[in-house]
Amino acid sequence: MEEVKAKLGTLISEKKRSARPDNGASWEQAFRSTFDCLDRLGIGNDQVSERLRVIHIAGTKGKGSTSAFCESILRHAGCKKTGLFTSPHLVNINERIRLDGKSISDEKFCEYFWQVWNRLEETCTPEQGMPAYFRFITLMGYYVFIKEEVDVAVVEVGLGGRIDSTNVVNRPVVCGIASLGFDHTDLLGDTLAKIAREKAGIFKKGVPAFTVGQEEEAMESLRDCASERGVEFLKQSGSVGDYCLPEGSDQVRLGIPGDHQAANAGLAVSLCQTFQERVDLKLSPVVSQGALTLDCLKGLELCRWPGRGQIEKDNPGDGGAENITFYLDGAHTPESMLCCSKWYQGATKLALEASSPSSGERWLMFNCMRDRDPNVLFEPLQTNHGGDGATGGAHTMGFDRSFFVPFVSSTTSLKGDNQSDHKWENGLRGIWDKMLGRAAGGKGSGGREALGRSSPDSSGATGGSSSSSSSSSVCSVQAALSTLRTYARQNNTKQIHVLVTGSLYLVGDFLRILKRVP
Ligand SMILES: Nc1ncnc2c1ncn2[C@@H]1O[C@H](COP(=O)(O)OP(=O)(O)OP(=O)(O)O)[C@@H](O)[C@H]1O
């Protein structure tokens, strides 16, 4: 596996996230090269459509969760073999290609990797070289699903849709668009209409499509694209809570927590219902007479999507403390941070009420990529969304301690983070404390407008400036964990609820350190 990882590493051509892939080709050119690569692999894109039953899902937020729900629902509805392609991964690259809900084994990964690698290498020409990292892993995903003869291939778009490497299927069974918002605006456009148009690039002639409720500007753009592209229909899915329940069942339980998951699950139900009606597999119904079936409910409840709303107890057998609970969520956009913050406050409120509110504390471990605006990410974290507010700490939302921790993984260092200087993290801490200072000073909860757009790099490396600075620190993940565990052991009547958020890479680092590999 190490050799395979090293080879894959050679396909990461640039360190910058939005750098041009595939030897400097434009995104359009690079996308078109995916079709050539499929030919070189002996599986033209016609074959991908003929040999795979694909559910293709795009969106700004919730596309991964929706994909995971789809896979789980169909597995529980009787799909003998499921394939799920997602990105990015948290700990191991294998997570991106799942068979029957489990990451592909190292053995199979290596076996298929070499088949794909060797074929592509043998067919390189001066015009057609090796594909870049994401394109390669996408090609490999399709290759694996074809060779494994999966009944369904649920495919999550990597970025955008129209010219994403996954968009090489002429005729998916059904397409879905999860919640739309502002992200990757440098590549997708600076209005919701433009972003929606890029995402709707996965729509295909004669193929049905579903979307969740969207802002009108986005919905209008989706409708226009649907008619331009001649989709069979574009329908809006509802919340999973809108469905009736079968006899013997009193509620829908979702395996991925958070109120925001109801819309993702609703979209997944619509996609799976349409899939099940259109394919020649003997699947049990997903919805029957307007009610979710027991199989569907099981699929929703048993769905697992690590790093999103994941709750893990610390492990005392492995140096941990039994009174620590980690809440791991890779939110990294304003919308997802709002969902994450509401989920965390709700979950810890229940946990704090279950014990004694005064005996619990909320701690934060945070980092985000440098292309994010921490001002807008911090705002929902510092706002009380109707929970109990403070847990003993003095802040608006009541984090008793906050740590700004550098990334550990090599994946993130490849994305341009300098491991040795902590200027970025000190800057994050400075902004965090400044916002808290303003909030405490009676100027609201501290927002982008109030603060201006200060950036960590410009705010200097001095750390906090407000009275709350003593409760925030910059240190390594390991040092933060050590401080946390020592404190927890010394205060063993307290329950410590630790939110880890800001980046999926940080969540991946934690899962690796906690030895909870997905
Ligand atoms: N419908 C939603 N609206 C807003 N935020 C959401 C929604 N669904 C999930 N999220 C948040 O987004 C984060 C990522 O969820 P998910 O993996 O489903 O989305 P994604 O579209 O694949 O995003 P990405 O892979 O870019 O993080 C979650 O941690 C959660 O906080």
Side-chain angles (χ1 to χ4, degrees), residues 60-65 87-88 156 179 260-261 264 305 308 329-332 335-336 339-340 504:
T60 309
K61 278 297 132 206
K63 58 191 179 301
S65 306
S87 58
E156 179 197 358
S179 178
H260 53 289
Q261 291 296 347
N264 299 336
W305 189 224
R308 286 80 170 181
D329 191 279
H332 53 261
E335 294 86 359
S336 60
C339 291
C340 163
L504 270 172

Side-chain angles (χ1 to χ4, degrees), residues 358-402:
S358 58
S359 68
E361 290 193 12
R362 285 172 172 149
W363 289 36
L364 174 71
M365 308 255 180
F366 185 94
N367 202 350
C368 60
M369 302 295 280
R370 287 167 193 240
D371 57 355
R372 303 285 156 188
D373 179 356
N375 297 274
V376 296
L377 295 184
F378 286 161
E379 190 173 334
L381 281 176
Q382 294 189 353
T383 304
N384 185 347
H385 302 291
D388 63 351
T391 64
H395 314 319
T396 317
M397 141 59 181
F399 279 110
D400 297 86
R401 293 274 322 244
S402 314

Side-chain angles (χ1 to χ4, degrees), residues 119-140:
R119 282 259 185 117
L120 290 174
E121 202 173 47
E122 282 157 20
T123 52
C124 273
T125 64
E127 294 77 39
Q128 295 177 2
M130 290 298 276
Y133 185 89
F134 183 70
R135 198 171 315 286
F136 182 93
I137 197 74
T138 306
L139 289 160
M140 189 173 147

